[in-house]
Amino acid sequence: MSKITERVEEIVTPIIQDLGFELVDVEYVKEGPDYYLRIAIDKEGGIDISDCALASEKISEVMDKEDPITDAYFMDVSSPGAERPLKKEADYTAAVGHPVYVKLYEEIGGDKEWLGELVKFDAETVTMSVRIKTRTKEIELPRKKIAKIRRAVIL
């Protein structure tokens, strides 16, 4: 399925950019008997329903011509929301100093999930400030062990 998402990204990126939006994420998944193509877009000040409808219309036109997906699928164009995934280096840069949630492929320090503030990052590691009981501690997580990382909303 990664080849499909890569191809869809190639197709939709120019469309999204022409509309003045940013392509945040493309996901193609099977849930039960159905396939879903989910495209997350954003712009300065946020995306609204009319932006999603416009992008969906433009993307559908081109996807019908290019036809990169042979299976029947449902397409969803939406905002990434407040808990937007960190995919690109610019996403990481914008998230420094903000809360993030990290899910790992394997445990580090006895946990596979971490919630804390993103302190810094480089090509190899992500450094977070996390609260463990009554103490705050900095931890380094290898990026190759990160399954998911996204912004977090802490109330």
Side-chain angles (χ1 to χ4, degrees):
M1 288 200 201
S2 67
K3 287 200 182 276
I4 291 174
T5 57
E6 288 173 15
R7 181 66 185 127
V8 171
E9 277 189 42
E10 289 173 10
I11 293 167
V12 303
T13 296
I15 299 164
I16 299 300
Q17 290 174 341
D18 285 349
L19 294 171
F21 305 149
E22 171 195 359
L23 179 63
V24 175
D25 196 19
V26 174
E27 179 183 56
Y28 183 65
V29 295
K30 184 174 184 181
E31 293 176 0
D34 299 317
Y35 288 92
Y36 293 87
L37 176 62
R38 295 189 178 108
I39 300 170
I41 59 175
D42 207 357
K43 71 175 182 185
E44 191 70 36
I47 289 290
D48 61 30
I49 192 88
S50 61
D51 295 329
C52 292
L54 175 63
S56 181
E57 182 181 314
K58 299 290 185 188
I59 291 167
S60 289
E61 290 172 10
V62 176
M63 290 291 288
D64 288 344
K65 288 178 191 168
E66 295 286 328
D67 202 23
I69 302 173
T70 56
D71 299 306
Y73 63 92
F74 297 96
M75 185 175 75
D76 175 34
V77 177
S78 65
S79 161
E83 295 187 335
R84 132 185 213 151
L86 307 184
K87 297 285 188 170
K88 304 170 190 143
E89 294 303 299
D91 298 333
Y92 281 85
T93 300
V96 170
H98 296 280
V100 294
Y101 164 82
V102 177
K103 184 171 185 173
L104 303 171
Y105 290 114
E106 59 187 58
E107 286 185 6
I108 293 179
D111 286 308
K112 283 181 77 172
E113 297 182 41
W114 294 91
L115 180 64
E117 182 181 306
L118 180 61
V119 175
K120 63 182 176 179
F121 70 94
D122 59 35
E124 303 295 320
T125 60
V126 167
T127 304
M128 296 174 62
S129 174
V130 298
R131 189 163 178 90
I132 302 172
K133 294 186 182 179
T134 59
R135 296 183 12 206
T136 300
K137 174 182 170 182
E138 278 194 8
I139 60 161
E140 282 191 4
L141 304 173
R143 284 179 77 167
K144 66 183 177 192
K145 292 188 178 183
I146 295 175
K148 288 183 183 180
I149 182 169
R150 62 171 168 75
R151 289 274 191 112
V153 175
I154 300 175
L155 303 174

